[in-house]
Amino acid sequence: MLAGLLNASHLMPLDSLPEKAREHARAAGFTDLLIYVADLERMGLHLLTNPHGAPRGPAEVIRIEGTTPGRAYQYGWLASTSLNEAAGIDWWLPIVDGTERLGVLRLRSVYNDARAREDADRLAALLALLIVAKRTSSDTLARLMRTEPLNIGAEMAWNLMPPSTYADGRVVISASLEPAYRISGDVYEYALDGPLVHLTVFDAMGHDSAAGLCGALALGACRQARRGGEGLAAKGEAVEAALIEQYGQRRYVTGILATLDTRTGVLSWVNRGHHPPVIIRGNRWSSHLRCPPAHPMGTGLGLPSTVCVEQLEPGDRIVLYTDGITEARGADDREFGIERFTDFLIRQAADGLPVPETLRRLIRAVLDYHDGHLQDDATVLMCEWLGLPADDTEPAAALSGLLPSDSPAATQAVTMKNGSSQR
């Protein structure tokens, strides 16, 4: 099954993936197969079909909230629906690339044993790899993942930023950005460099296409400087130089540029006119990290950039965010606020939710608080330092939703987050 599909994939457009996967899956006893991908807002799951064929299956769009396939997507579980003995059993499996949740796979299997489930898991993993390999060249997938047109800023940003989730034995990283279809100037980035993890959030002034261009320019200048070996302060200066060269001093970008050394837990960061990072420790308390801010990048005010340092403890969560999160206003004109924001993260983590699902629910809560329409970009980037070697992956798998919540590793991860034991 896997070898046949892999061989076919080299000369196969993404549009043909469902039919080819269905064809090769029969070798493992799977009599039917449907692929659903999540939209940008992670509200619904959309059926991937051959554009020349008729839609298959019970629905072309399935809501994530309150459905069996939605729970498979949210929690990373295999969910099953029993049918009559002659038809077999239906399984819903998450389609995950690394720890990035792409959608769900529905399989109908004539077998219901450990071998069949193992085959199903491996097929879902291969489908994830094929979707990621082909998505940058597929307008079919791009259209399927959006429920409304993107503005220019969103079109640029989603093609510049890394996947929303990453994990290895050392860290679990997840990010979310809303409004997904109307991005102004917010962008986030994380990058791995040996033992170092680079974390960045930028917020460009304005709500027009120029704000999106500024965000893209800032991200490109930051990457160029970082990959050229520059430090935190120099990266901020490189962004400022690029903005001034392009716009004079008419446009600016605020941001946090941070680096975590996973060997020691030392977090270093520079504040360029932005909200300071938050540290959540032990699901019991949170703290703003203090650091003298330099001026926003692009203003040329000449304030010095101070590199500040914080020693983290294993299990600490670093949270970078933009003002669209905390300053979203409800019907009573009260802001969502930093306290409500951090309390939400603490409560969700204490419940043992996977980190990506925590942020998905956070964005939904911010949207609900603001009656579904944000006036500014709301971005959050969260990184948990586990204090473990890269190859000790079970706790990271549990936190990312790759292990069932009742598995020993998942239970241990939640216990540690609640402060009941020490690593």
PDB file of all heavy atoms in Angstrom, residues 200 202 217-218 221-223 225-226 230-244 253-258 270-272 294-300 303 305 307:
ATOM      1  N   THR A 200      10.005  34.981  17.186  1.00  0.00           N
ATOM      2  CA  THR A 200       9.815  36.362  16.754  1.00  0.00           C
ATOM      3  C   THR A 200       8.351  36.645  16.522  1.00  0.00           C
ATOM      4  O   THR A 200       7.641  35.834  15.929  1.00  0.00           O
ATOM      5  CB  THR A 200      10.578  36.642  15.438  1.00  0.00           C
ATOM      6  OG1 THR A 200      11.940  36.246  15.579  1.00  0.00           O
ATOM      7  CG2 THR A 200      10.514  38.106  15.062  1.00  0.00           C
ATOM      8  N   PHE A 202       6.179  40.158  15.084  1.00  0.00           N
ATOM      9  CA  PHE A 202       6.201  41.524  14.590  1.00  0.00           C
ATOM     10  C   PHE A 202       4.767  42.020  14.424  1.00  0.00           C
ATOM     11  O   PHE A 202       3.876  41.270  14.022  1.00  0.00           O
ATOM     12  CB  PHE A 202       6.898  41.623  13.227  1.00  0.00           C
ATOM     13  CG  PHE A 202       8.395  41.410  13.268  1.00  0.00           C
ATOM     14  CD1 PHE A 202       9.013  40.632  12.309  1.00  0.00           C
ATOM     15  CD2 PHE A 202       9.175  41.997  14.251  1.00  0.00           C
ATOM     16  CE1 PHE A 202      10.383  40.431  12.319  1.00  0.00           C
ATOM     17  CE2 PHE A 202      10.552  41.796  14.279  1.00  0.00           C
ATOM     18  CZ  PHE A 202      11.157  41.019  13.308  1.00  0.00           C
ATOM     19  N   LEU A 217       8.491  42.615   4.907  1.00  0.00           N
ATOM     20  CA  LEU A 217       9.845  43.156   4.829  1.00  0.00           C
ATOM     21  C   LEU A 217      10.596  42.915   6.140  1.00  0.00           C
ATOM     22  O   LEU A 217      11.772  42.535   6.133  1.00  0.00           O
ATOM     23  CB  LEU A 217       9.781  44.648   4.516  1.00  0.00           C
ATOM     24  CG  LEU A 217      11.115  45.392   4.384  1.00  0.00           C
ATOM     25  CD1 LEU A 217      11.966  44.797   3.266  1.00  0.00           C
ATOM     26  CD2 LEU A 217      10.869  46.886   4.141  1.00  0.00           C
ATOM     27  N   ALA A 218       9.912  43.123   7.263  1.00  0.00           N
ATOM     28  CA  ALA A 218      10.548  42.898   8.565  1.00  0.00           C
ATOM     29  C   ALA A 218      10.959  41.445   8.727  1.00  0.00           C
ATOM     30  O   ALA A 218      12.068  41.143   9.202  1.00  0.00           O
ATOM     31  CB  ALA A 218       9.589  43.314   9.682  1.00  0.00           C
ATOM     32  N   ALA A 221      14.027  40.720   6.435  1.00  0.00           N
ATOM     33  CA  ALA A 221      15.264  41.331   6.933  1.00  0.00           C
ATOM     34  C   ALA A 221      15.770  40.606   8.177  1.00  0.00           C
ATOM     35  O   ALA A 221      16.978  40.411   8.359  1.00  0.00           O
ATOM     36  CB  ALA A 221      15.025  42.805   7.242  1.00  0.00           C
ATOM     37  N   CYS A 222      14.833  40.191   9.041  1.00  0.00           N
ATOM     38  CA  CYS A 222      15.209  39.461  10.250  1.00  0.00           C
ATOM     39  C   CYS A 222      15.841  38.114   9.900  1.00  0.00           C
ATOM     40  O   CYS A 222      16.879  37.738  10.457  1.00  0.00           O
ATOM     41  CB  CYS A 222      13.983  39.275  11.131  1.00  0.00           C
ATOM     42  SG  CYS A 222      14.283  38.369  12.668  1.00  0.00           S
ATOM     43  N   ARG A 223      15.239  37.401   8.959  1.00  0.00           N
ATOM     44  CA  ARG A 223      15.793  36.108   8.548  1.00  0.00           C
ATOM     45  C   ARG A 223      17.180  36.267   7.934  1.00  0.00           C
ATOM     46  O   ARG A 223      18.087  35.485   8.211  1.00  0.00           O
ATOM     47  CB  ARG A 223      14.865  35.452   7.520  1.00  0.00           C
ATOM     48  CG  ARG A 223      13.635  34.808   8.104  1.00  0.00           C
ATOM     49  CD  ARG A 223      12.763  34.236   7.006  1.00  0.00           C
ATOM     50  NE  ARG A 223      11.567  33.608   7.558  1.00  0.00           N
ATOM     51  CZ  ARG A 223      10.518  33.246   6.835  1.00  0.00           C
ATOM     52  NH1 ARG A 223      10.520  33.466   5.522  1.00  0.00           N
ATOM     53  NH2 ARG A 223       9.473  32.684   7.406  1.00  0.00           N
ATOM     54  N   ALA A 225      19.408  38.573   8.460  1.00  0.00           N
ATOM     55  CA  ALA A 225      20.394  38.889   9.492  1.00  0.00           C
ATOM     56  C   ALA A 225      20.690  37.679  10.367  1.00  0.00           C
ATOM     57  O   ALA A 225      21.843  37.389  10.689  1.00  0.00           O
ATOM     58  CB  ALA A 225      19.888  40.051  10.341  1.00  0.00           C
ATOM     59  N   ARG A 226      19.641  36.956  10.750  1.00  0.00           N
ATOM     60  CA  ARG A 226      19.833  35.787  11.627  1.00  0.00           C
ATOM     61  C   ARG A 226      20.654  34.717  10.934  1.00  0.00           C
ATOM     62  O   ARG A 226      21.581  34.156  11.526  1.00  0.00           O
ATOM     63  CB  ARG A 226      18.460  35.228  12.023  1.00  0.00           C
ATOM     64  CG  ARG A 226      18.528  34.097  13.035  1.00  0.00           C
ATOM     65  CD  ARG A 226      17.161  33.519  13.310  1.00  0.00           C
ATOM     66  NE  ARG A 226      16.648  32.738  12.194  1.00  0.00           N
ATOM     67  CZ  ARG A 226      15.485  32.975  11.587  1.00  0.00           C
ATOM     68  NH1 ARG A 226      14.717  33.976  11.969  1.00  0.00           N
ATOM     69  NH2 ARG A 226      15.090  32.210  10.581  1.00  0.00           N
ATOM     70  N   GLU A 230      23.937  37.165  12.795  1.00  0.00           N
ATOM     71  CA  GLU A 230      23.766  38.335  13.658  1.00  0.00           C
ATOM     72  C   GLU A 230      23.025  37.967  14.943  1.00  0.00           C
ATOM     73  O   GLU A 230      22.210  37.042  14.971  1.00  0.00           O
ATOM     74  CB  GLU A 230      22.997  39.431  12.918  1.00  0.00           C
ATOM     75  CG  GLU A 230      23.674  39.916  11.648  1.00  0.00           C
ATOM     76  CD  GLU A 230      24.915  40.734  11.923  1.00  0.00           C
ATOM     77  OE1 GLU A 230      25.225  40.991  13.106  1.00  0.00           O
ATOM     78  OE2 GLU A 230      25.587  41.134  10.954  1.00  0.00           O
ATOM     79  N   GLY A 231      23.300  38.748  15.999  1.00  0.00           N
ATOM     80  CA  GLY A 231      22.646  38.549  17.281  1.00  0.00           C
ATOM     81  C   GLY A 231      21.308  39.262  17.352  1.00  0.00           C
ATOM     82  O   GLY A 231      20.835  39.874  16.386  1.00  0.00           O
ATOM     83  N   LEU A 232      20.685  39.224  18.532  1.00  0.00           N
ATOM     84  CA  LEU A 232      19.338  39.755  18.697  1.00  0.00           C
ATOM     85  C   LEU A 232      19.266  41.252  18.402  1.00  0.00           C
ATOM     86  O   LEU A 232      18.396  41.709  17.649  1.00  0.00           O
ATOM     87  CB  LEU A 232      18.846  39.475  20.115  1.00  0.00           C
ATOM     88  CG  LEU A 232      18.517  38.018  20.440  1.00  0.00           C
ATOM     89  CD1 LEU A 232      18.296  37.847  21.939  1.00  0.00           C
ATOM     90  CD2 LEU A 232      17.280  37.569  19.676  1.00  0.00           C
ATOM     91  N   ALA A 233      20.152  42.038  19.002  1.00  0.00           N
ATOM     92  CA  ALA A 233      20.111  43.480  18.787  1.00  0.00           C
ATOM     93  C   ALA A 233      20.361  43.820  17.322  1.00  0.00           C
ATOM     94  O   ALA A 233      19.690  44.683  16.740  1.00  0.00           O
ATOM     95  CB  ALA A 233      21.125  44.174  19.690  1.00  0.00           C
ATOM     96  N   ALA A 234      21.320  43.133  16.719  1.00  0.00           N
ATOM     97  CA  ALA A 234      21.648  43.404  15.315  1.00  0.00           C
ATOM     98  C   ALA A 234      20.495  43.039  14.383  1.00  0.00           C
ATOM     99  O   ALA A 234      20.289  43.693  13.348  1.00  0.00           O
ATOM    100  CB  ALA A 234      22.911  42.652  14.920  1.00  0.00           C
ATOM    101  N   LYS A 235      19.733  42.004  14.733  1.00  0.00           N
ATOM    102  CA  LYS A 235      18.574  41.655  13.907  1.00  0.00           C
ATOM    103  C   LYS A 235      17.546  42.785  13.916  1.00  0.00           C
ATOM    104  O   LYS A 235      16.978  43.140  12.877  1.00  0.00           O
ATOM    105  CB  LYS A 235      17.936  40.353  14.407  1.00  0.00           C
ATOM    106  CG  LYS A 235      18.750  39.110  14.100  1.00  0.00           C
ATOM    107  CD  LYS A 235      17.963  37.848  14.381  1.00  0.00           C
ATOM    108  CE  LYS A 235      17.713  37.629  15.847  1.00  0.00           C
ATOM    109  NZ  LYS A 235      17.037  36.334  16.133  1.00  0.00           N
ATOM    110  N   GLY A 236      17.307  43.363  15.082  1.00  0.00           N
ATOM    111  CA  GLY A 236      16.389  44.489  15.162  1.00  0.00           C
ATOM    112  C   GLY A 236      16.882  45.680  14.357  1.00  0.00           C
ATOM    113  O   GLY A 236      16.095  46.355  13.680  1.00  0.00           O
ATOM    114  N   GLU A 237      18.179  45.932  14.401  1.00  0.00           N
ATOM    115  CA  GLU A 237      18.738  47.037  13.626  1.00  0.00           C
ATOM    116  C   GLU A 237      18.630  46.775  12.131  1.00  0.00           C
ATOM    117  O   GLU A 237      18.410  47.702  11.336  1.00  0.00           O
ATOM    118  CB  GLU A 237      20.203  47.269  14.021  1.00  0.00           C
ATOM    119  CG  GLU A 237      20.400  47.728  15.463  1.00  0.00           C
ATOM    120  CD  GLU A 237      19.625  49.005  15.767  1.00  0.00           C
ATOM    121  OE1 GLU A 237      19.620  49.919  14.916  1.00  0.00           O
ATOM    122  OE2 GLU A 237      19.014  49.077  16.858  1.00  0.00           O
ATOM    123  N   ALA A 238      18.783  45.515  11.727  1.00  0.00           N
ATOM    124  CA  ALA A 238      18.651  45.180  10.308  1.00  0.00           C
ATOM    125  C   ALA A 238      17.227  45.422   9.823  1.00  0.00           C
ATOM    126  O   ALA A 238      17.010  45.917   8.704  1.00  0.00           O
ATOM    127  CB  ALA A 238      19.056  43.726  10.079  1.00  0.00           C
ATOM    128  N   VAL A 239      16.249  45.075  10.653  1.00  0.00           N
ATOM    129  CA  VAL A 239      14.856  45.341  10.295  1.00  0.00           C
ATOM    130  C   VAL A 239      14.620  46.842  10.175  1.00  0.00           C
ATOM    131  O   VAL A 239      13.993  47.322   9.215  1.00  0.00           O
ATOM    132  CB  VAL A 239      13.900  44.719  11.334  1.00  0.00           C
ATOM    133  CG1 VAL A 239      12.458  45.152  11.067  1.00  0.00           C
ATOM    134  CG2 VAL A 239      14.006  43.194  11.310  1.00  0.00           C
ATOM    135  N   GLU A 240      15.128  47.588  11.141  1.00  0.00           N
ATOM    136  CA  GLU A 240      14.946  49.044  11.087  1.00  0.00           C
ATOM    137  C   GLU A 240      15.574  49.639   9.836  1.00  0.00           C
ATOM    138  O   GLU A 240      14.971  50.488   9.161  1.00  0.00           O
ATOM    139  CB  GLU A 240      15.558  49.695  12.326  1.00  0.00           C
ATOM    140  CG  GLU A 240      15.574  51.212  12.243  1.00  0.00           C
ATOM    141  CD  GLU A 240      15.478  51.891  13.581  1.00  0.00           C
ATOM    142  OE1 GLU A 240      14.346  52.088  14.063  1.00  0.00           O
ATOM    143  OE2 GLU A 240      16.534  52.241  14.121  1.00  0.00           O
ATOM    144  N   ALA A 241      16.791  49.211   9.492  1.00  0.00           N
ATOM    145  CA  ALA A 241      17.466  49.744   8.312  1.00  0.00           C
ATOM    146  C   ALA A 241      16.662  49.460   7.043  1.00  0.00           C
ATOM    147  O   ALA A 241      16.540  50.317   6.162  1.00  0.00           O
ATOM    148  CB  ALA A 241      18.861  49.147   8.206  1.00  0.00           C
ATOM    149  N   ALA A 242      16.102  48.257   6.942  1.00  0.00           N
ATOM    150  CA  ALA A 242      15.322  47.904   5.756  1.00  0.00           C
ATOM    151  C   ALA A 242      14.057  48.754   5.655  1.00  0.00           C
ATOM    152  O   ALA A 242      13.679  49.204   4.562  1.00  0.00           O
ATOM    153  CB  ALA A 242      14.964  46.415   5.798  1.00  0.00           C
ATOM    154  N   LEU A 243      13.395  48.992   6.791  1.00  0.00           N
ATOM    155  CA  LEU A 243      12.177  49.788   6.784  1.00  0.00           C
ATOM    156  C   LEU A 243      12.459  51.247   6.427  1.00  0.00           C
ATOM    157  O   LEU A 243      11.720  51.863   5.646  1.00  0.00           O
ATOM    158  CB  LEU A 243      11.493  49.704   8.153  1.00  0.00           C
ATOM    159  CG  LEU A 243      10.847  48.363   8.502  1.00  0.00           C
ATOM    160  CD1 LEU A 243      10.501  48.299   9.985  1.00  0.00           C
ATOM    161  CD2 LEU A 243       9.596  48.129   7.657  1.00  0.00           C
ATOM    162  N   ILE A 244      13.525  51.808   6.996  1.00  0.00           N
ATOM    163  CA  ILE A 244      13.851  53.205   6.705  1.00  0.00           C
ATOM    164  C   ILE A 244      14.274  53.371   5.255  1.00  0.00           C
ATOM    165  O   ILE A 244      13.912  54.353   4.589  1.00  0.00           O
ATOM    166  CB  ILE A 244      14.936  53.709   7.678  1.00  0.00           C
ATOM    167  CG1 ILE A 244      14.347  53.821   9.095  1.00  0.00           C
ATOM    168  CG2 ILE A 244      15.507  55.044   7.223  1.00  0.00           C
ATOM    169  CD1 ILE A 244      15.336  54.227  10.153  1.00  0.00           C
ATOM    170  N   VAL A 253       7.463  49.110  12.769  1.00  0.00           N
ATOM    171  CA  VAL A 253       7.067  47.776  13.199  1.00  0.00           C
ATOM    172  C   VAL A 253       7.533  47.587  14.635  1.00  0.00           C
ATOM    173  O   VAL A 253       8.698  47.882  14.953  1.00  0.00           O
ATOM    174  CB  VAL A 253       7.706  46.689  12.302  1.00  0.00           C
ATOM    175  CG1 VAL A 253       7.429  45.296  12.850  1.00  0.00           C
ATOM    176  CG2 VAL A 253       7.198  46.804  10.865  1.00  0.00           C
ATOM    177  N   THR A 254       6.651  47.128  15.509  1.00  0.00           N
ATOM    178  CA  THR A 254       7.070  46.733  16.853  1.00  0.00           C
ATOM    179  C   THR A 254       7.309  45.221  16.870  1.00  0.00           C
ATOM    180  O   THR A 254       6.855  44.496  15.985  1.00  0.00           O
ATOM    181  CB  THR A 254       6.018  47.096  17.907  1.00  0.00           C
ATOM    182  OG1 THR A 254       4.865  46.266  17.731  1.00  0.00           O
ATOM    183  CG2 THR A 254       5.611  48.562  17.789  1.00  0.00           C
ATOM    184  N   GLY A 255       8.010  44.749  17.887  1.00  0.00           N
ATOM    185  CA  GLY A 255       8.241  43.305  17.930  1.00  0.00           C
ATOM    186  C   GLY A 255       9.064  42.849  19.107  1.00  0.00           C
ATOM    187  O   GLY A 255       9.682  43.653  19.822  1.00  0.00           O
ATOM    188  N   ILE A 256       9.057  41.555  19.296  1.00  0.00           N
ATOM    189  CA  ILE A 256       9.931  40.865  20.251  1.00  0.00           C
ATOM    190  C   ILE A 256      10.790  39.897  19.451  1.00  0.00           C
ATOM    191  O   ILE A 256      10.278  39.111  18.638  1.00  0.00           O
ATOM    192  CB  ILE A 256       9.125  40.079  21.301  1.00  0.00           C
ATOM    193  CG1 ILE A 256       8.265  41.018  22.158  1.00  0.00           C
ATOM    194  CG2 ILE A 256      10.047  39.238  22.184  1.00  0.00           C
ATOM    195  CD1 ILE A 256       9.053  41.920  23.087  1.00  0.00           C
ATOM    196  N   LEU A 257      12.099  39.945  19.678  1.00  0.00           N
ATOM    197  CA  LEU A 257      13.040  39.000  19.080  1.00  0.00           C
ATOM    198  C   LEU A 257      13.685  38.243  20.233  1.00  0.00           C
ATOM    199  O   LEU A 257      14.298  38.847  21.120  1.00  0.00           O
ATOM    200  CB  LEU A 257      14.099  39.721  18.255  1.00  0.00           C
ATOM    201  CG  LEU A 257      13.583  40.596  17.109  1.00  0.00           C
ATOM    202  CD1 LEU A 257      13.499  42.059  17.553  1.00  0.00           C
ATOM    203  CD2 LEU A 257      14.487  40.492  15.900  1.00  0.00           C
ATOM    204  N   ALA A 258      13.526  36.931  20.248  1.00  0.00           N
ATOM    205  CA  ALA A 258      13.976  36.124  21.380  1.00  0.00           C
ATOM    206  C   ALA A 258      14.732  34.891  20.898  1.00  0.00           C
ATOM    207  O   ALA A 258      14.498  34.400  19.786  1.00  0.00           O
ATOM    208  CB  ALA A 258      12.791  35.700  22.249  1.00  0.00           C
ATOM    209  N   VAL A 270      14.997  40.837  23.025  1.00  0.00           N
ATOM    210  CA  VAL A 270      15.050  42.278  22.815  1.00  0.00           C
ATOM    211  C   VAL A 270      13.632  42.757  22.571  1.00  0.00           C
ATOM    212  O   VAL A 270      12.880  42.134  21.817  1.00  0.00           O
ATOM    213  CB  VAL A 270      15.952  42.638  21.609  1.00  0.00           C
ATOM    214  CG1 VAL A 270      15.767  44.096  21.201  1.00  0.00           C
ATOM    215  CG2 VAL A 270      17.405  42.364  21.927  1.00  0.00           C
ATOM    216  N   ASN A 271      13.264  43.848  23.213  1.00  0.00           N
ATOM    217  CA  ASN A 271      11.935  44.431  23.053  1.00  0.00           C
ATOM    218  C   ASN A 271      12.047  45.681  22.190  1.00  0.00           C
ATOM    219  O   ASN A 271      12.698  46.645  22.558  1.00  0.00           O
ATOM    220  CB  ASN A 271      11.337  44.780  24.419  1.00  0.00           C
ATOM    221  CG  ASN A 271       9.895  45.250  24.314  1.00  0.00           C
ATOM    222  OD1 ASN A 271       9.436  45.688  23.273  1.00  0.00           O
ATOM    223  ND2 ASN A 271       9.170  45.167  25.419  1.00  0.00           N
ATOM    224  N   ARG A 272      11.383  45.663  21.028  1.00  0.00           N
ATOM    225  CA  ARG A 272      11.358  46.822  20.147  1.00  0.00           C
ATOM    226  C   ARG A 272       9.959  47.449  20.160  1.00  0.00           C
ATOM    227  O   ARG A 272       9.156  47.273  19.258  1.00  0.00           O
ATOM    228  CB  ARG A 272      11.777  46.433  18.726  1.00  0.00           C
ATOM    229  CG  ARG A 272      13.191  45.911  18.591  1.00  0.00           C
ATOM    230  CD  ARG A 272      14.250  46.915  19.063  1.00  0.00           C
ATOM    231  NE  ARG A 272      14.181  48.189  18.369  1.00  0.00           N
ATOM    232  CZ  ARG A 272      15.028  48.573  17.412  1.00  0.00           C
ATOM    233  NH1 ARG A 272      16.016  47.778  17.038  1.00  0.00           N
ATOM    234  NH2 ARG A 272      14.903  49.761  16.846  1.00  0.00           N
ATOM    235  N   ALA A 294      13.513  49.267  23.368  1.00  0.00           N
ATOM    236  CA  ALA A 294      14.028  50.207  22.380  1.00  0.00           C
ATOM    237  C   ALA A 294      12.848  50.742  21.570  1.00  0.00           C
ATOM    238  O   ALA A 294      11.707  50.320  21.749  1.00  0.00           O
ATOM    239  CB  ALA A 294      15.049  49.531  21.480  1.00  0.00           C
ATOM    240  N   HIS A 295      13.119  51.679  20.683  1.00  0.00           N
ATOM    241  CA  HIS A 295      12.059  52.287  19.875  1.00  0.00           C
ATOM    242  C   HIS A 295      11.547  51.296  18.831  1.00  0.00           C
ATOM    243  O   HIS A 295      12.251  50.366  18.443  1.00  0.00           O
ATOM    244  CB  HIS A 295      12.593  53.536  19.178  1.00  0.00           C
ATOM    245  CG  HIS A 295      13.813  53.277  18.352  1.00  0.00           C
ATOM    246  ND1 HIS A 295      15.083  53.183  18.900  1.00  0.00           N
ATOM    247  CD2 HIS A 295      13.976  53.064  17.015  1.00  0.00           C
ATOM    248  CE1 HIS A 295      15.962  52.927  17.945  1.00  0.00           C
ATOM    249  NE2 HIS A 295      15.314  52.852  16.791  1.00  0.00           N
ATOM    250  N   PRO A 296      10.329  51.492  18.350  1.00  0.00           N
ATOM    251  CA  PRO A 296       9.827  50.649  17.250  1.00  0.00           C
ATOM    252  C   PRO A 296      10.753  50.730  16.049  1.00  0.00           C
ATOM    253  O   PRO A 296      11.314  51.791  15.735  1.00  0.00           O
ATOM    254  CB  PRO A 296       8.448  51.243  16.952  1.00  0.00           C
ATOM    255  CG  PRO A 296       8.023  51.876  18.236  1.00  0.00           C
ATOM    256  CD  PRO A 296       9.280  52.422  18.836  1.00  0.00           C
ATOM    257  N   MET A 297      10.903  49.623  15.363  1.00  0.00           N
ATOM    258  CA  MET A 297      11.789  49.546  14.206  1.00  0.00           C
ATOM    259  C   MET A 297      11.213  50.344  13.042  1.00  0.00           C
ATOM    260  O   MET A 297      10.060  50.156  12.669  1.00  0.00           O
ATOM    261  CB  MET A 297      11.993  48.084  13.820  1.00  0.00           C
ATOM    262  CG  MET A 297      12.730  47.286  14.874  1.00  0.00           C
ATOM    263  SD  MET A 297      12.555  45.470  14.696  1.00  0.00           S
ATOM    264  CE  MET A 297      10.865  45.224  15.256  1.00  0.00           C
ATOM    265  N   GLY A 298      12.032  51.253  12.506  1.00  0.00           N
ATOM    266  CA  GLY A 298      11.600  52.124  11.426  1.00  0.00           C
ATOM    267  C   GLY A 298      11.447  53.570  11.827  1.00  0.00           C
ATOM    268  O   GLY A 298      11.309  54.443  10.966  1.00  0.00           O
ATOM    269  N   THR A 299      11.487  53.856  13.138  1.00  0.00           N
ATOM    270  CA  THR A 299      11.332  55.231  13.601  1.00  0.00           C
ATOM    271  C   THR A 299      12.660  55.966  13.712  1.00  0.00           C
ATOM    272  O   THR A 299      12.681  57.199  13.737  1.00  0.00           O
ATOM    273  CB  THR A 299      10.621  55.272  14.963  1.00  0.00           C
ATOM    274  OG1 THR A 299      11.383  54.503  15.914  1.00  0.00           O
ATOM    275  CG2 THR A 299       9.215  54.669  14.860  1.00  0.00           C
ATOM    276  N   GLY A 300      13.783  55.234  13.810  1.00  0.00           N
ATOM    277  CA  GLY A 300      15.098  55.862  13.864  1.00  0.00           C
ATOM    278  C   GLY A 300      15.315  56.759  15.057  1.00  0.00           C
ATOM    279  O   GLY A 300      16.034  57.764  14.962  1.00  0.00           O
ATOM    280  N   LEU A 303      17.240  54.893  20.359  1.00  0.00           N
ATOM    281  CA  LEU A 303      17.298  54.300  21.690  1.00  0.00           C
ATOM    282  C   LEU A 303      18.095  53.001  21.640  1.00  0.00           C
ATOM    283  O   LEU A 303      17.991  52.245  20.664  1.00  0.00           O
ATOM    284  CB  LEU A 303      15.888  54.018  22.211  1.00  0.00           C
ATOM    285  CG  LEU A 303      14.976  55.228  22.403  1.00  0.00           C
ATOM    286  CD1 LEU A 303      13.599  54.778  22.858  1.00  0.00           C
ATOM    287  CD2 LEU A 303      15.582  56.207  23.411  1.00  0.00           C
ATOM    288  N   SER A 305      19.269  49.146  22.149  1.00  0.00           N
ATOM    289  CA  SER A 305      18.618  47.847  22.293  1.00  0.00           C
ATOM    290  C   SER A 305      19.299  47.079  23.417  1.00  0.00           C
ATOM    291  O   SER A 305      20.507  46.837  23.361  1.00  0.00           O
ATOM    292  CB  SER A 305      18.706  47.043  20.988  1.00  0.00           C
ATOM    293  OG  SER A 305      17.943  47.637  19.975  1.00  0.00           O
ATOM    294  N   VAL A 307      19.676  43.617  25.469  1.00  0.00           N
ATOM    295  CA  VAL A 307      19.404  42.171  25.453  1.00  0.00           C
ATOM    296  C   VAL A 307      19.205  41.721  26.894  1.00  0.00           C
ATOM    297  O   VAL A 307      20.121  41.796  27.708  1.00  0.00           O
ATOM    298  CB  VAL A 307      20.558  41.397  24.794  1.00  0.00           C
ATOM    299  CG1 VAL A 307      20.266  39.897  24.832  1.00  0.00           C
ATOM    300  CG2 VAL A 307      20.769  41.856  23.353  1.00  0.00           C
TER     301      VAL A 307
END
